[in-house]
Amino acid sequence: MTSTFLPDKRSGPDVEPAPPAVVAGRARARRRALHWLTAVGFQVPALVLFGTLVLLPMLFAVYAAFFRWGGFGMPENFVGGDNFTRLFKDPVFLGDLWRCLLLVGLSLLLQLPFALALAVALNQKIRGRAVYRMLFFAPYILSEAITGVLFSMIFAPDDGLADHVLGAVGLDGAGGQWFSDPSTVMATLFLVMTWKYFGFHMMLYLAGLQSIPAELTEAALIDGAGPWQRFRNVTLPLLAPTLRISVFLSVIGAVQLFDLVWVVTAGGPDHHSETMAVTMFQYGFKRYQVGYASAISVVMFGICLVFALAYQRFVLRRDLQGATTTMRGGGS
Amino acid sequence: MAVPLVYAVLSGFKSTDQLSRNPIGLPDPWVPSNYTDILGSGSFWQLVGSSTLIAVGTTVVVVAVSALAAFSFARFAFRGRELLFTLFTMGLMFPFAVAALPLFLLLRSIGLLDNPLGVILPQAAFGLPMTIVILRGFFREIPAELEEAATLDGCGPLGFFWRILLPMARPALGTVSVLAVVGSWNNFLLPLLVFNEPTWWTIPIGVQQFQGQYSAEYARVFAYLVLAMVPALAFYSVAERQLVGGLSAGATKG
């Protein structure tokens, strides 16, 4: 079986014909090359798109982070690691890191448990549960920009719904500046984030809960376990893979938070709600310090990468074992 | 949960004057003019049109390109497969904000600013990892016997992909399409960077600009917000199953 497309130079009339095994070997190699080209051919559009619009900009950000550069022409004024040392002395950026940790902490301690409690409640056979599910999930569908504008009006000082409600229950003056007071801005933002995102986590948990076989909880019930014991010893361990994914998404989301903050406060008052992405935007697009802004991008990427790798290595390993072994399967 | 939404709908039916006198109760009288004014103006429809075009464009590009790549990942054993797949899955954790700045410079240098392709192509590129991961999972589940039968009947890889795999994977394609539409519809940062001129503004940009322009007229802004929410919520009520299925598939398989 020889290919008609690729003439073999060595099998001319004056060359001794190769033994059949070698011919078959060559044909196999050719077939394998063809197979490889076909397989990779399907990848080409994705590689081109991903390479030029995702990988290339990422790599360029790393390069630009070593220059003091305004963003026009090619980067010049190589400054080595100066942008990074400046970054870690910049009180705004250090504040960004602290606020990022704060949001992660609040999400893990308040938002996710709240989502879990509601998911467990909605997993019971209660009246109108489909309506509740739809209602809780609806905010996730709205863009952060719309959510942001809506809540900036609800928390508007004096005129907003929040202050009126407080006034109506006799807590006049308990409200106040909300987004424009440094001491309340993060708490208010977190409230809005919870409104917007907990439904997403709740839906994940609901999907996870529905994959838990009912026999297990029934067996625990027969063994005399109370509701808390059933939750603690049956539901929670079986939901663990879902919880680990939800924690992962929550942390990565907090690191790159931009839209909501930009629309509501733009980082104010006086940087008290600024996030890394907002600081990056300010320097890169408002003050034309592209090199410095790139350094911020690189640190954000570094945080995400280190977190993702560590998480994958130490936390997700058990969940991914199944997935990686099936990847060795044959294909065609 | 629904209080902010109901409050916004009701407030849109008040006049701004009425809103400050009677912030919580029902409108008295009901003033539909905020809503009708916005619906009667061309600029709102322009936003809807632009958002729709960009969402459809993004979805077509990302689904087509991902389906080809996922097909190759799912049905071929080839050298470098694991490496390539790792490359794409790593894309799942690249925050868009990291690439925003150099991406902007790139789009500027190739003249794609103020051009819908300047939003469509990067959105599609950043959507690839998730879409490929989900589609690959679905494509793997199609039995190998079908492929053998197709090959015996004279189907090449492309024929199998086009005539058998894609029609069979229609539910999966629906799921990733819904995810792509929602992602594109809600994107804020990229259109903010790319569209300087209002010609191609999308709904999130329009909402922010409208608030800035009419900051004193609360009732008007509320009406605008409500109308801006309608397409997304309507789409959600139609595509709920596909969306939720896609999110949990993406999250657990990612």
Side-chain angles (χ1 to χ4, degrees):
Chain A
M1 197 171 137
T2 46
S3 167
T4 45
F5 301 116
L6 299 167
D8 194 341
K9 289 193 186 91
R10 279 181 299 172
S11 61
D14 39 34
V15 180
E16 209 177 314
V22 175
V23 173
R26 268 188 232 132
R28 206 180 306 128
R30 225 173 277 143
R31 237 186 356 237
R32 205 179 293 150
L34 195 66
H35 176 82
W36 190 84
L37 281 176
T38 318
V40 173
F42 286 108
Q43 306 276 353
V44 168
L47 284 173
V48 169
L49 204 57
F50 195 70
T52 47
L53 295 174
V54 180
L55 294 181
L56 191 71
M58 295 272 183
L59 293 175
F60 189 77
V62 175
Y63 176 68
F66 294 97
F67 293 84
R68 182 176 297 113
W69 178 51
F72 294 93
M74 278 309 281
E76 45 195 24
N77 296 328
F78 182 81
V79 292
D82 281 8
N83 283 329
F84 292 96
T85 40
R86 179 178 156 203
L87 207 53
F88 286 99
K89 286 183 199 142
D90 184 341
V92 173
F93 184 75
L94 294 176
D96 292 348
L97 290 177
W98 158 243
R99 281 182 288 276
C100 178
L101 269 180
L102 181 75
L103 288 178
V104 168
L106 286 174
S107 304
L108 301 191
L109 293 176
L110 296 175
Q111 187 183 334
L112 300 189
F114 179 55
L116 180 60
L118 268 172
V120 171
L122 284 183
N123 200 35
Q124 316 294 317
K125 289 193 170 43
I126 51 169
R127 272 168 64 99
R129 114 184 132 154
V131 177
Y132 285 119
R133 285 167 63 152
M134 194 132 173
L135 209 60
F136 291 142
F137 193 64
Y140 182 72
I141 301 304
L142 301 176
S143 74
E144 297 194 344
I146 289 182
T147 312
V149 172
L150 175 63
F151 278 92
S152 69
M153 296 205 295
I154 284 177
F155 286 112
D158 304 326
D159 285 337
L161 176 67
D163 278 3
H164 282 296
V165 169
L166 286 177
V169 297
L171 286 167
D172 253 330
Q177 300 299 304
W178 302 108
F179 288 122
S180 39
D181 182 336
S183 62
T184 53
V185 63
M186 286 309 283
T188 317
L189 261 183
F190 177 72
L191 210 65
V192 179
M193 283 172 68
T194 305
W195 183 83
K196 171 123 176 63
Y197 293 114
F198 90 93
F200 168 72
H201 295 282
M202 187 194 80
M203 282 304 212
L204 284 187
Y205 300 156
L206 269 173
L209 286 172
Q210 258 142 34
S211 68
I212 297 177
E215 297 84 50
L216 288 174
T217 17
E218 278 161 21
L221 188 65
I222 293 167
D223 289 346
W228 171 249
Q229 277 178 311
R230 285 203 301 275
F231 175 74
R232 173 75 190 78
N233 296 319
V234 180
T235 311
L236 210 53
L238 288 169
L239 203 59
T242 314
L243 288 171
R244 288 194 278 263
I245 294 290
S246 139
V247 167
F248 180 79
L249 294 175
S250 198
V251 172
I252 295 286
V255 175
Q256 44 178 307
L257 184 66
F258 174 82
D259 298 7
L260 201 62
V261 178
W262 185 251
V263 170
V264 177
T265 65
D270 190 29
H271 303 299
H272 277 92
S273 65
E274 208 158 307
T275 61
M276 280 183 275
V278 172
T279 313
M280 183 278 294
F281 190 85
Q282 292 278 12
Y283 278 107
F285 295 99
K286 301 282 164 188
R287 299 194 214 167
Y288 300 105
Q289 299 190 19
V290 173
Y292 190 56
S294 299
I296 301 176
S297 296
V298 170
V299 173
M300 280 171 67
F301 176 56
I303 293 174
C304 287
L305 192 70
V306 168
F307 172 73
L309 291 178
Y311 203 75
Q312 215 149 23
R313 173 83 180 73
F314 296 111
V315 184
L316 291 180
R317 194 174 34 176
R318 275 169 297 173
D319 304 336
L320 289 176
Q321 259 161 10
T324 43
T325 46
T326 53
M327 267 159 61
R328 308 250 178 280
S332 68
Chain B
M1 259 325 115
V3 170
L5 301 180
V6 174
Y7 172 69
V9 174
L10 290 180
S11 301
F13 279 108
K14 296 172 181 175
S15 63
T16 296
D17 183 40
Q18 200 190 126
L19 189 60
S20 62
R21 275 185 289 111
N22 168 27
I24 297 177
L26 288 174
D28 177 32
W30 291 66
V31 186
S33 64
N34 288 323
Y35 288 109
T36 50
D37 283 357
I38 294 163
L39 288 175
S41 79
S43 61
F44 179 76
W45 294 105
Q46 197 180 355
L47 296 179
V48 175
S50 169
S51 275
T52 308
L53 179 111
I54 289 172
V56 170
T58 304
T59 306
V60 169
V61 175
V62 74
V63 173
V65 171
S66 301
L68 285 172
F71 170 56
S72 157
F73 280 129
R75 316 294 301 194
F76 286 84
F78 62 92
R79 187 186 291 266
R81 185 175 72 166
E82 302 302 302
L83 186 77
L84 278 185
F85 191 65
T86 311
L87 191 75
F88 281 113
T89 47
M90 266 174 63
L92 284 173
M93 59 202 179
F94 287 164
F96 173 71
V98 172
L101 196 50
L103 186 62
F104 170 80
L105 301 174
L106 178 73
L107 294 173
R108 190 179 65 189
S109 67
I110 56 179
L112 282 182
L113 294 186
D114 280 316
N115 181 333
L117 282 178
V119 173
I120 291 175
L121 295 178
Q123 276 184 171
F126 274 85
L128 285 174
M130 175 76 106
T131 319
I132 289 179
V133 167
I134 295 179
L135 284 183
R136 173 181 168 274
F138 280 104
F139 287 172
R140 291 179 70 92
E141 282 160 20
I142 288 170
E145 289 78 28
L146 264 172
E147 193 178 330
E148 279 159 26
T151 318
L152 286 179
D153 289 344
C155 250
L158 201 60
F160 170 70
F161 172 71
W162 185 249
R163 283 192 239 157
I164 294 162
L165 198 71
L166 284 190
M168 284 190 71
R170 211 172 285 152
L173 295 176
T175 298
V176 291
S177 302
V178 168
L179 287 179
V181 168
V182 171
S184 167
W185 196 268
N186 289 342
N187 197 348
F188 176 70
L189 181 52
L190 191 60
L192 183 71
L193 298 179
V194 172
F195 299 140
N196 209 4
E197 303 289 323
T199 330
W200 289 105
W201 276 354
T202 55
I203 287 178
I205 307 293
V207 164
Q208 196 212 13
Q209 297 290 335
F210 194 86
Q211 189 206 17
Q213 196 178 343
Y214 295 95
S215 53
E217 297 179 55
Y218 272 34
R220 234 177 127 92
V221 179
F222 274 122
Y224 198 87
L225 272 177
V226 171
L227 292 176
M229 289 173 191
V230 167
L233 292 178
F235 184 74
Y236 166 55
S237 62
V238 177
E240 187 210 356
R241 203 161 286 274
Q242 302 266 321
L243 178 69
V244 174
L247 288 176
S248 36
T252 47
K253 287 180 187 166

